[in-house]
Amino acid sequence: LLVGACVAPGAQAPADHLVLPGFWDDPPDCVVVLPMAGAAGAADESGLSAMTVERALARHLFGRTGAVIGPDRRDADARRLALDLRHPGDRARYTDLAACRHGAEITVAGGRGYAVVWAEVSIDLKARLIDLATGMTLWQARHHGSRGDGGVPASPLGLALAVGQASMFATDGDVLSSVLDDGLRALVATLPDTRAYAASRNSSVRPLSSRK
């Protein structure tokens, strides 16, 4: 509790990441957000639904590459083309049909912790960018984000205040999404920006998606 109470709310450490040599052989000009593991729309152990995480990832990827196919358009494409983008073979087919050669995968773990006078939200993120045709990883990153509220009481009044702050924080439904957004921002910031490359790429084939 003493350690937790000293953490500044919203503090974010840089994400650990690795850009593999193959990334620059053919920098991505389009990225599709791939389905998270588990049932579509189901909440994982963090309490966040797959669609919530995937849509948030798509928003952040817009600032790093030329085109992004988010989960809504991805699912519409997959139904129309009878593909399951959880399977490597279907991913390779999607590369040709949608003219989008790269995919972003993400996993989320963590959740809420509550100890009467201190409450905390903690999320662990892992992401990677892959070549859809080969499955080769081109970039990977991981990030731990957390936020807490409450305190170490020094008096009966301090105890009441700490309990009230921790209780309010623990029941705030927006905190989890906010921590996710902060974490994704730090995570995706480590992905090289290829928008200039995408703008200069002279291709007559457009992805099936609009940027949604």
Side-chain angles (χ1 to χ4, degrees), residues 14 22 41 61 64 71 97 100 104 106 120 136 152 154 168 192-193 202:
L61 286 172
R64 309 304 289 180
L97 295 170
C100 194
I106 189 165
E120 184 175 83
M136 180 183 298
V152 179
M168 290 179 63
D193 189 338
N202 183 18

Side-chain angles (χ1 to χ4, degrees), residues 65-150:
T65 190
V68 178
I69 297 178
D72 298 285
R73 187 61 191 231
R74 175 204 69 206
D75 289 348
D77 286 348
R79 287 191 297 269
R80 183 166 60 84
L81 300 170
L83 299 176
D84 184 347
L85 295 186
R86 292 179 175 84
H87 294 176
D90 284 2
R91 290 176 178 179
R93 287 188 60 203
Y94 191 77
T95 297
D96 296 329
L97 295 170
C100 194
R101 299 166 295 115
H102 297 88
E105 290 183 326
I106 189 165
T107 60
V108 183
R112 299 177 183 271
Y114 179 63
V116 184
V117 296
W118 181 256
E120 184 175 83
V121 168
S122 177
I123 293 179
D124 291 300
L125 301 171
K126 292 183 181 179
R128 68 177 186 138
L129 182 78
I130 66 169
D131 182 313
L132 291 175
T134 65
M136 180 183 298
T137 299
L138 304 175
W139 163 87
Q140 60 188 30
R142 61 183 182 180
H143 182 71
H144 173 79
S146 63
R147 192 178 302 175
D149 202 359

Side-chain angles (χ1 to χ4, degrees), residues 10 12 48 60 121 123 147 172-185:
Q12 295 290 329
L48 293 161
H60 287 279
V121 168
I123 293 179
R147 192 178 302 175
D172 188 340
D174 294 330
V175 172
L176 197 58
S177 294
S178 179
V179 175
L180 170 68
D181 200 58
D182 287 344
L184 286 172
R185 185 178 298 109

Side-chain angles (χ1 to χ4, degrees), residues 33-58 71 74-75 86 106 108 180:
V33 176
L34 296 171
M36 289 179 62
D44 64 9
E45 63 177 274
S46 71
L48 293 161
S49 72
M51 188 61 75
T52 295
V53 175
E54 291 165 6
R55 284 173 175 162
L57 176 60
R74 175 204 69 206
D75 289 348
R86 292 179 175 84
I106 189 165
V108 183
L180 170 68

